[in-house]
Amino acid sequence: MSNSTVVTEFLLTGFSDVWEFRVLYTMLFLLMYLATLTGNLLIVTVIIVDQRLHIPMYFFILNLSVLDMCYISVTVPKACVVFLLNYRVISIVGCAAQIFLVVLCASAELLLLTIMARDRYVAICQPLHYHVIMTPHVCVQMTLASVLSGLVYAGVHTWNTFHLSFCRSNVVHQFFCDIPSLLKLSCSDTSTNEIVNFASSMIVGGTSLSFITMSYVHIFSVVLKFPTRGERRRAFSTCVPHILIVIVFLGSGAVVYMKPTSNSFLTHDMVISVFYCIIPPFLNPIIYSLRNKQIKEAIRKVMRRILTSFRKIIIISTHSYFDCES
């Protein structure tokens, strides 16, 4: 350690050093970021405005949208700066904050997805008791529990990572700070970290996946008994998108966080990171909400109100202009 240089800042890595590709990646990331913010913000707005959507399912969708906006905002803006301006520097404090927020959002989102599976189970398998079990108080408690659990989980992993010494290199082979990439740069023994990361991922991810799987086994067993094909199709249409996003989210995260740490730096690790940091928040408005008839109707109603207000503003402004001219 005495002959080593202690790292005080890190350098993030882009997908390419070619200017044209850097611009292309920046545009792709920026478009997905803006689309994610716009879609999720629209979902939040219509759920708050439309009284018909003030039920548990949409309460969880609202919280998921807010969480997704935070999740993608932790990584993409900085990545765009790295790609476009080639400004790769991030301080240790900034890196720690990024890891803390990424782990917080990811773990809270996984727990929220688990809660949403529970909500679908009660709605389909116990419809008569739905409003008794899923009360507003219970919904708020479960949402707060997911966030608080995420805070504890993120705090433990962040401390466990940054109590290590970094003295090999300061180049993080990733477009944002993540735990596996930093473990490769540490000159300390990282075996304990790897065991903790693997064990915690297995416990949290495995428990959530098991709970979601059991919920859908019960759901499908009930749905298959529905008398008409239309009822079965409607029920399955609310379940399949949720299952797909859980598979993408858990699968990509497991590949990155549960594999043994090696000293090789692979581009496909960066690509896989996109699938659990950017794709789930981007797909959320499409999969969970925009395919929902009630959400679509609420969006049309809000857009009509906005257009009506805009026309009124134009008419008033025009009249005021001509009054001043006269």
Side-chain angles (χ1 to χ4, degrees), residues 43 67-68 100 115 141 151 156 183 204 235 250 306-307 315:
I43 297 305
L67 190 60
D68 278 334
F100 178 83
I115 292 170
Q141 281 185 329
L151 285 170
V156 169
L183 292 183
V204 176
L250 276 179
I306 293 174
L307 290 174
I315 292 171

Side-chain angles (χ1 to χ4, degrees), residues 158-178:
T158 304
W159 179 86
N160 200 35
T161 300
F162 282 90
H163 87 279
L164 299 172
S165 299
F166 300 98
C167 52
R168 287 180 180 172
S169 170
N170 68 336
V171 179
V172 179
H173 289 263
Q174 185 63 273
F175 62 89
F176 66 99
C177 284
D178 72 337

Side-chain angles (χ1 to χ4, degrees), residues 3 10 20 29 45 49 62 83 89 122 127 144 150 163 175 190 192 199 224 232-233 237 249 264-265 281 302 326:
N3 297 326
F10 295 103
E20 290 78 8
F29 272 55
T45 303
V49 171
L62 182 149
F83 297 155
V89 177
V122 176
L144 288 177
H163 87 279
F175 62 89
T190 61
T192 302
L224 290 173
R232 291 195 294 269
R233 187 184 298 113
S237 67
F249 187 75
S264 59
F265 304 103
V302 170
S326 59

Side-chain angles (χ1 to χ4, degrees), residues 85-277:
L85 303 180
N86 203 31
Y87 184 75
R88 302 163 55 197
V89 177
I90 184 170
S91 65
I92 284 188
V93 173
C95 190
Q98 199 171 52
I99 283 181
F100 178 83
L101 293 173
V102 166
V103 176
L104 166 61
C105 293
S107 56
E109 178 155 338
L110 177 58
L111 294 174
L112 195 56
L113 289 172
T114 307
I115 292 170
M116 292 174 73
R118 166 69 177 175
D119 174 71
R120 290 298 83 212
Y121 164 77
V122 176
I124 295 174
C125 300
Q126 300 176 320
L128 298 180
H129 300 91
Y130 181 66
H131 292 289
V132 176
I133 297 174
M134 304 300 291
T135 62
H137 184 65
V138 170
C139 293
V140 171
Q141 281 185 329
M142 288 193 294
T143 303
L144 288 177
S146 67
V147 175
L148 292 175
S149 299
L151 285 170
V152 174
Y153 189 78
V156 169
H157 277 282
T158 304
W159 179 86
N160 200 35
T161 300
F162 282 90
H163 87 279
L164 299 172
S165 299
F166 300 98
C167 52
R168 287 180 180 172
S169 170
N170 68 336
V171 179
V172 179
H173 289 263
Q174 185 63 273
F175 62 89
F176 66 99
C177 284
D178 72 337
I179 294 173
S181 298
L182 288 182
L183 292 183
K184 297 175 183 179
L185 306 180
S186 176
C187 51
S188 304
D189 181 16
T190 61
S191 57
T192 302
N193 295 70
E194 292 179 39
I195 293 171
V196 170
N197 290 343
F198 182 83
S200 60
S201 298
M202 283 294 295
I203 293 171
V204 176
T207 302
S208 296
L209 182 60
S210 299
F211 190 88
I212 292 170
T213 302
M214 288 188 295
S215 296
Y216 278 113
V217 167
H218 290 294
I219 288 171
F220 289 159
S221 65
V222 171
V223 170
L224 290 173
K225 297 177 183 177
F226 285 179
T228 64
R229 182 178 297 179
E231 289 178 329
R232 291 195 294 269
R233 187 184 298 113
R234 283 193 297 272
F236 280 129
S237 67
T238 64
C239 299
V240 173
H242 181 263
I243 295 172
L244 290 176
I245 201 68
V246 168
I247 291 173
V248 172
F249 187 75
L250 276 179
S252 57
V255 170
V256 174
Y257 282 93
M258 293 178 63
K259 71 175 186 177
T261 302
S262 66
N263 291 325
S264 59
F265 304 103
L266 303 175
T267 304
H268 77 75
D269 288 347
M270 297 174 64
V271 175
I272 292 172
S273 298
V274 173
F275 279 90
Y276 77 89
C277 281

